[in-house]
Each structure stands twice: as structure tokens, then as C-alpha cells.
Coordinates of all heavy atoms in Angstrom, one line a residue:
M95 N -86.6 26.7 -55.4 CA -85.3 26.1 -54.9 C -84.5 27.2 -54.2 O -84.3 28.2 -54.7 CB -84.5 25.5 -56.1 CG -83.4 24.7 -55.7 SD -83.7 23.0 -55.4 CE -84.5 22.5 -56.9
S96 N -84.1 26.8 -53.0 CA -83.3 27.8 -52.3 C -82.0 27.1 -51.8 O -81.9 25.9 -51.7 CB -84.1 28.4 -51.1 OG -84.3 27.4 -50.1
V97 N -81.0 28.0 -51.4 CA -79.7 27.5 -50.9 C -79.5 28.2 -49.5 O -79.6 29.4 -49.4 CB -78.6 27.9 -51.8 CG1 -77.2 27.4 -51.2 CG2 -78.7 27.3 -53.2
K98 N -79.3 27.3 -48.5 CA -79.0 27.9 -47.2 C -77.5 27.5 -46.9 O -77.1 26.4 -47.2 CB -79.9 27.2 -46.1 CG -81.3 27.7 -46.2 CD -82.1 27.1 -45.0 CE -83.6 27.6 -45.1 NZ -84.3 27.0 -44.0
T99 N -76.8 28.5 -46.4 CA -75.4 28.3 -46.1 C -75.1 28.2 -44.6 O -75.7 29.1 -43.8 CB -74.6 29.4 -46.7 OG1 -74.8 29.3 -48.2 CG2 -73.1 29.2 -46.5
Y100 N -74.3 27.3 -44.2 CA -74.0 27.1 -42.8 C -72.4 27.0 -42.7 O -71.8 26.7 -43.7 CB -74.6 25.8 -42.2 CG -76.1 25.8 -42.3 CD1 -76.7 25.2 -43.5 CD2 -76.9 26.2 -41.3 CE1 -78.0 25.1 -43.6 CE2 -78.3 26.2 -41.5 CZ -78.9 25.6 -42.6 OH -80.2 25.5 -42.8
T101 N -71.9 27.1 -41.5 CA -70.5 26.8 -41.2 C -70.4 25.7 -40.2 O -71.0 25.8 -39.2 CB -69.8 28.1 -40.7 OG1 -69.9 29.2 -41.6 CG2 -68.3 27.8 -40.5
V102 N -69.7 24.6 -40.7 CA -69.5 23.5 -39.8 C -68.1 23.4 -39.2 O -67.2 23.7 -39.9 CB -69.7 22.2 -40.7 CG1 -69.6 20.9 -39.8 CG2 -71.1 22.2 -41.3
H103 N -68.1 23.2 -37.9 CA -66.8 23.1 -37.2 C -66.4 21.7 -37.0 O -67.3 20.8 -36.7 CB -66.9 23.8 -35.8 CG -67.0 25.3 -35.9 ND1 -66.0 26.1 -36.5 CD2 -68.0 26.1 -35.5 CE1 -66.4 27.3 -36.4 NE2 -67.6 27.4 -35.8
G104 N -65.1 21.4 -37.1 CA -64.6 20.0 -36.7 C -64.3 19.1 -37.9 O -63.7 18.1 -37.6
M105 N -64.6 19.5 -39.1 CA -64.3 18.6 -40.2 C -62.8 18.7 -40.5 O -62.3 19.8 -40.6 CB -65.1 19.0 -41.4 CG -66.6 18.8 -41.3 SD -67.5 19.0 -42.9 CE -67.1 20.7 -43.2
T106 N -62.1 17.6 -40.7 CA -60.7 17.6 -41.0 C -60.2 16.8 -42.2 O -59.1 16.9 -42.6 CB -59.9 17.1 -39.7 OG1 -60.4 15.7 -39.5 CG2 -60.1 17.9 -38.5
C107 N -61.2 16.1 -42.8 CA -60.7 15.2 -43.9 C -61.9 14.9 -44.8 O -63.0 15.3 -44.6 CB -60.2 13.9 -43.4 SG -61.4 12.9 -42.5
G108 N -61.6 14.2 -45.9 CA -62.6 13.9 -46.9 C -63.7 13.0 -46.3 O -64.9 13.1 -46.7
H109 N -63.4 12.1 -45.3 CA -64.4 11.3 -44.7 C -65.4 12.2 -43.9 O -66.6 11.9 -43.9 CB -63.7 10.3 -43.8 CG -64.7 9.4 -43.0 ND1 -65.4 8.4 -43.7 CD2 -65.1 9.4 -41.8 CE1 -66.3 7.9 -42.8 NE2 -66.1 8.4 -41.6
C110 N -64.9 13.2 -43.3 CA -65.8 14.2 -42.6 C -66.8 14.8 -43.5 O -68.0 14.8 -43.2 CB -64.9 15.3 -42.0 SG -63.7 14.8 -40.8
V111 N -66.3 15.2 -44.7 CA -67.2 15.8 -45.7 C -68.2 14.8 -46.1 O -69.4 15.1 -46.2 CB -66.3 16.3 -46.9 CG1 -67.2 16.6 -48.1 CG2 -65.5 17.4 -46.5
S112 N -67.8 13.5 -46.4 CA -68.8 12.5 -46.8 C -69.8 12.2 -45.8 O -71.0 12.1 -46.1 CB -68.0 11.2 -47.1 OG -67.1 11.3 -48.2
S113 N -69.4 12.2 -44.5 CA -70.4 12.0 -43.4 C -71.4 13.1 -43.4 O -72.6 12.8 -43.2 CB -69.7 11.9 -42.1 OG -68.8 10.8 -42.0
V114 N -71.0 14.3 -43.4 CA -71.9 15.4 -43.4 C -72.9 15.4 -44.6 O -74.1 15.5 -44.5 CB -71.2 16.8 -43.3 CG1 -72.1 18.0 -43.5 CG2 -70.4 16.9 -42.0
K115 N -72.3 15.2 -45.8 CA -73.1 15.1 -47.0 C -74.2 14.0 -46.9 O -75.3 14.2 -47.3 CB -72.2 14.8 -48.2 CG -71.6 16.1 -48.8 CD -70.9 15.7 -50.1 CE -70.5 16.9 -50.9 NZ -69.9 16.5 -52.2
E116 N -73.8 12.8 -46.4 CA -74.7 11.7 -46.3 C -75.8 12.0 -45.4 O -77.0 11.8 -45.7 CB -73.9 10.5 -45.9 CG -74.8 9.2 -45.8 CD -74.0 8.0 -45.4 OE1 -72.8 7.9 -45.7 OE2 -74.6 7.1 -44.8
E117 N -75.5 12.5 -44.2 CA -76.6 12.8 -43.2 C -77.5 13.9 -43.6 O -78.7 13.8 -43.5 CB -75.9 13.2 -41.8 CG -75.2 12.0 -41.1 CD -76.2 10.9 -40.7 OE1 -77.4 11.1 -40.5 OE2 -75.7 9.8 -40.5
V118 N -76.9 15.0 -44.1 CA -77.8 16.1 -44.6 C -78.6 15.7 -45.8 O -79.8 16.1 -45.9 CB -76.9 17.4 -44.8 CG1 -77.8 18.5 -45.4 CG2 -76.3 17.8 -43.5
G119 N -78.0 14.9 -46.7 CA -78.7 14.5 -47.9 C -79.9 13.7 -47.6 O -80.8 13.6 -48.5
E120 N -80.0 13.1 -46.4 CA -81.2 12.3 -46.1 C -82.4 13.1 -45.6 O -83.5 12.5 -45.4 CB -80.8 11.2 -45.0 CG -79.8 10.2 -45.6 CD -79.4 9.2 -44.5 OE1 -79.8 9.3 -43.4 OE2 -78.6 8.3 -44.9
I121 N -82.2 14.4 -45.4 CA -83.3 15.2 -44.9 C -84.4 15.4 -46.0 O -84.0 15.6 -47.2 CB -82.8 16.6 -44.5 CG1 -81.8 16.4 -43.3 CG2 -84.0 17.5 -44.0 CD1 -81.1 17.7 -43.0
A122 N -85.6 15.3 -45.7 CA -86.7 15.5 -46.7 C -86.6 16.9 -47.2 O -86.5 17.8 -46.5 CB -88.1 15.2 -46.0
G123 N -86.7 17.0 -48.6 CA -86.7 18.3 -49.2 C -85.3 18.7 -49.7 O -85.2 19.6 -50.5
V124 N -84.3 18.0 -49.3 CA -82.9 18.4 -49.7 C -82.7 17.7 -51.1 O -82.9 16.6 -51.3 CB -81.9 17.9 -48.7 CG1 -80.4 18.0 -49.3 CG2 -82.0 18.6 -47.4
T125 N -82.3 18.6 -52.0 CA -82.0 18.1 -53.4 C -80.5 18.1 -53.7 O -80.1 17.6 -54.7 CB -82.8 18.9 -54.4 OG1 -82.4 20.3 -54.3 CG2 -84.3 18.7 -54.3
G126 N -79.7 18.8 -52.9 CA -78.3 18.9 -53.1 C -77.5 19.3 -51.8 O -78.1 20.1 -51.0
V127 N -76.3 18.9 -51.7 CA -75.5 19.3 -50.6 C -74.0 19.5 -51.1 O -73.5 18.7 -51.8 CB -75.4 18.2 -49.5 CG1 -74.5 18.6 -48.3 CG2 -76.8 17.8 -49.0
E128 N -73.5 20.7 -50.8 CA -72.1 21.0 -51.2 C -71.4 21.3 -49.9 O -71.9 22.1 -49.0 CB -72.1 22.2 -52.1 CG -72.7 22.0 -53.5 CD -72.0 20.9 -54.3 OE1 -70.8 20.8 -54.1 OE2 -72.6 20.2 -55.1
V129 N -70.2 20.7 -49.7 CA -69.4 21.0 -48.5 C -68.0 21.4 -49.0 O -67.4 20.7 -49.8 CB -69.3 19.7 -47.6 CG1 -68.4 20.0 -46.4 CG2 -70.7 19.3 -47.2
D130 N -67.4 22.5 -48.4 CA -66.1 22.9 -48.6 C -65.3 22.6 -47.4 O -65.5 23.3 -46.4 CB -66.0 24.4 -49.0 CG -64.6 24.8 -49.4 OD1 -63.7 24.7 -48.5 OD2 -64.4 25.3 -50.5
L131 N -64.4 21.7 -47.4 CA -63.6 21.3 -46.3 C -62.7 22.4 -45.7 O -62.7 22.6 -44.5 CB -62.7 20.1 -46.6 CG -61.8 19.5 -45.5 CD1 -62.6 19.1 -44.3 CD2 -60.9 18.4 -46.0
A132 N -62.1 23.2 -46.6 CA -61.2 24.2 -46.2 C -61.8 25.3 -45.4 O -61.3 25.8 -44.4 CB -60.5 24.8 -47.4
T133 N -63.1 25.7 -45.8 CA -63.7 26.8 -45.1 C -64.8 26.3 -44.1 O -65.3 27.1 -43.3 CB -64.4 27.7 -46.1 OG1 -65.4 26.9 -46.8 CG2 -63.4 28.3 -47.1
G134 N -65.2 25.0 -44.2 CA -66.3 24.5 -43.4 C -67.6 24.9 -43.9 O -68.6 24.7 -43.2
R135 N -67.7 25.4 -45.1 CA -68.9 25.9 -45.6 C -69.8 24.7 -46.1 O -69.4 23.8 -46.7 CB -68.7 26.8 -46.8 CG -69.9 27.3 -47.5 CD -69.5 28.2 -48.7 NE -70.7 28.4 -49.5 CZ -71.0 29.7 -49.9 NH1 -70.2 30.7 -49.6 NH2 -72.1 29.9 -50.7
L136 N -71.1 24.8 -45.7 CA -72.1 23.8 -46.0 C -73.2 24.5 -46.7 O -73.9 25.4 -46.1 CB -72.6 23.1 -44.8 CG -73.9 22.2 -44.9 CD1 -73.7 21.1 -45.8 CD2 -74.3 21.8 -43.5
D137 N -73.5 24.1 -48.0 CA -74.6 24.7 -48.7 C -75.6 23.6 -48.9 O -75.3 22.5 -49.4 CB -74.2 25.1 -50.1 CG -73.3 26.4 -50.1 OD1 -73.4 27.2 -49.2 OD2 -72.5 26.5 -51.0
V138 N -76.9 23.9 -48.4 CA -78.0 22.9 -48.5 C -79.0 23.4 -49.5 O -79.5 24.5 -49.3 CB -78.6 22.7 -47.1 CG1 -79.8 21.7 -47.2 CG2 -77.6 22.3 -46.1
I139 N -79.2 22.7 -50.6 CA -80.0 23.1 -51.6 C -81.4 22.3 -51.5 O -81.3 21.1 -51.3 CB -79.4 22.8 -53.0 CG1 -78.1 23.5 -53.1 CG2 -80.3 23.2 -54.2 CD1 -77.0 22.7 -53.7
G140 N -82.5 23.0 -51.6 CA -83.8 22.3 -51.5 C -84.8 23.3 -51.1 O -84.6 24.5 -51.0
D141 N -86.0 22.8 -50.9 CA -87.2 23.7 -50.5 C -87.7 23.3 -49.1 O -87.9 22.1 -48.9 CB -88.3 23.6 -51.6 CG -87.9 24.4 -52.8 OD1 -87.3 25.4 -52.7 OD2 -88.1 23.8 -53.9
G142 N -88.0 24.3 -48.3 CA -88.6 24.0 -47.0 C -87.8 23.1 -46.1 O -88.4 22.3 -45.3
V143 N -86.5 23.2 -46.1 CA -85.6 22.4 -45.3 C -85.4 23.2 -43.9 O -84.8 24.3 -44.0 CB -84.3 22.2 -45.9 CG1 -83.4 21.3 -45.0 CG2 -84.5 21.4 -47.2
P144 N -85.9 22.7 -42.8 CA -85.8 23.4 -41.6 C -84.4 23.4 -41.0 O -83.6 22.4 -41.1 CB -86.7 22.6 -40.6 CG -87.2 21.5 -41.3 CD -86.7 21.5 -42.7
D145 N -83.9 24.6 -40.5 CA -82.6 24.7 -40.0 C -82.3 23.7 -38.9 O -81.2 23.1 -38.8 CB -82.4 26.1 -39.3 CG -82.3 27.2 -40.4 OD1 -81.9 26.9 -41.5 OD2 -82.6 28.4 -40.0
E146 N -83.3 23.4 -38.1 CA -83.1 22.4 -37.0 C -82.8 21.0 -37.5 O -82.0 20.3 -36.9 CB -84.4 22.4 -36.1 CG -84.2 21.6 -34.8 CD -83.0 22.0 -33.9 OE1 -82.6 23.2 -34.0 OE2 -82.5 21.2 -33.2
A147 N -83.4 20.7 -38.6 CA -83.2 19.4 -39.2 C -81.7 19.3 -39.7 O -81.0 18.3 -39.6 CB -84.1 19.1 -40.4
V148 N -81.2 20.4 -40.3 CA -79.8 20.4 -40.7 C -78.9 20.3 -39.5 O -77.9 19.6 -39.6 CB -79.5 21.7 -41.5 CG1 -78.1 21.8 -41.9 CG2 -80.4 21.8 -42.8
R149 N -79.2 21.1 -38.5 CA -78.4 21.0 -37.3 C -78.3 19.6 -36.7 O -77.2 19.1 -36.3 CB -78.9 22.0 -36.2 CG -78.7 23.4 -36.4 CD -79.1 24.3 -35.3 NE -79.0 25.7 -35.6 CZ -77.8 26.3 -35.7 NH1 -76.7 25.7 -35.4 NH2 -77.8 27.6 -36.0
L150 N -79.4 18.9 -36.6 CA -79.5 17.6 -36.1 C -78.7 16.6 -37.0 O -78.0 15.7 -36.5 CB -80.9 17.1 -35.9 CG -81.7 17.7 -34.8 CD1 -83.2 17.4 -34.8 CD2 -81.1 17.3 -33.4
A151 N -78.8 16.8 -38.3 CA -78.1 15.9 -39.2 C -76.6 16.1 -39.1 O -75.8 15.1 -39.1 CB -78.5 16.2 -40.7
V152 N -76.1 17.3 -39.0 CA -74.7 17.6 -38.8 C -74.2 17.1 -37.5 O -73.1 16.5 -37.4 CB -74.4 19.1 -38.9 CG1 -73.0 19.5 -38.5 CG2 -74.7 19.6 -40.4
K153 N -75.0 17.2 -36.4 CA -74.7 16.6 -35.1 C -74.6 15.1 -35.2 O -73.7 14.5 -34.6 CB -75.7 17.1 -34.1 CG -75.3 16.8 -32.7 CD -76.2 17.5 -31.7 CE -75.6 17.4 -30.3 NZ -75.8 18.5 -29.5
E154 N -75.5 14.5 -35.9 CA -75.5 13.0 -36.1 C -74.2 12.6 -36.8 O -73.7 11.5 -36.5 CB -76.7 12.6 -36.9 CG -76.9 11.1 -37.1 CD -77.3 10.4 -35.8 OE1 -77.9 11.1 -34.9 OE2 -77.0 9.2 -35.7
A155 N -73.7 13.4 -37.7 CA -72.4 13.1 -38.4 C -71.2 13.3 -37.5 O -70.1 12.9 -37.8 CB -72.3 13.9 -39.6
G156 N -71.4 14.0 -36.3 CA -70.4 14.2 -35.4 C -69.8 15.6 -35.4 O -68.7 15.8 -34.8
Y157 N -70.5 16.6 -35.9 CA -69.9 17.9 -36.0 C -71.0 18.9 -35.5 O -72.1 18.6 -35.2 CB -69.5 18.2 -37.5 CG -68.7 17.1 -38.0 CD1 -69.2 16.1 -38.8 CD2 -67.3 17.0 -37.7 CE1 -68.4 15.0 -39.2 CE2 -66.5 16.0 -38.1 CZ -67.0 15.0 -38.8 OH -66.3 13.9 -39.2
E158 N -70.5 20.2 -35.5 CA -71.4 21.3 -35.0 C -71.5 22.4 -36.0 O -70.5 22.7 -36.7 CB -70.8 21.9 -33.7 CG -70.8 20.9 -32.5 CD -72.2 20.6 -31.9 OE1 -73.1 21.4 -32.0 OE2 -72.4 19.5 -31.4
I159 N -72.7 23.0 -36.1 CA -72.8 24.2 -36.9 C -72.6 25.4 -36.1 O -73.0 25.5 -34.9 CB -74.3 24.2 -37.5 CG1 -74.4 23.1 -38.6 CG2 -74.6 25.6 -38.1 CD1 -75.7 23.1 -39.3
A160 N -71.8 26.3 -36.6 CA -71.5 27.6 -35.9 C -72.8 28.3 -35.7 O -73.7 28.3 -36.5 CB -70.5 28.4 -36.7
A161 N -72.8 29.0 -34.5 CA -74.0 29.8 -34.2 C -74.2 31.0 -35.1 O -73.3 31.5 -35.7 CB -73.9 30.3 -32.7

């Protein structure tokens, strides 16, 4: 089990957090998602989760991951 950390730009409320959690949580291999609204921190827990899949899921939710 590994944890990958990302920074998400554009989240402003609890609904934003829910959208990101929902989209990222649907990726195969993801077993947990933690989001901190104040810092934009996104922790993705799971095995073999590709960075690109996380980026696409966050984009689908309407946000961007910092480079």
C-alpha cells in the first residue's frame, strides 16, 4: 500500500472536496482518498495507481493538479 500526495488548485468548498474524492475514488487500485481543503493537499492511497489517472480524475472533477 502506498500513498501519493498531490496539490490541487481551485477547490474552495466542501462540495469541491467531495467532487475530487468521488472522481479519484473511482480509479482502479485506489483504496482511500484524503483531501485537505485549506492546503489543497490530495493523498491517494492504493497500489499501482498511475499519476495520469489521478490527473484525469481531478480534471474531470473540474480542478487541476499543480505541476
Side-chain angles (χ1 to χ4, degrees):
M95 189 84 56
S96 68
V97 178
K98 290 185 180 180
T99 300
Y100 305 88
T101 301
V102 178
H103 290 299
M105 295 187 301
T106 58
C107 65
H109 178 72
C110 301
V111 170
S112 296
S113 295
V114 170
K115 277 185 162 184
E116 184 177 331
E117 291 293 338
V118 174
E120 291 177 0
I121 300 170
V124 171
T125 57
V127 181
E128 295 294 329
V129 179
D130 184 301
L131 177 60
T133 62
R135 179 182 169 129
L136 165 64
D137 291 332
V138 180
I139 303 136
D141 287 319
V143 179
D145 288 335
E146 188 58 26
V148 175
R149 285 187 188 281
L150 287 171
V152 169
K153 189 169 193 146
E154 185 69 27
Y157 309 98
E158 295 289 331
I159 288 183

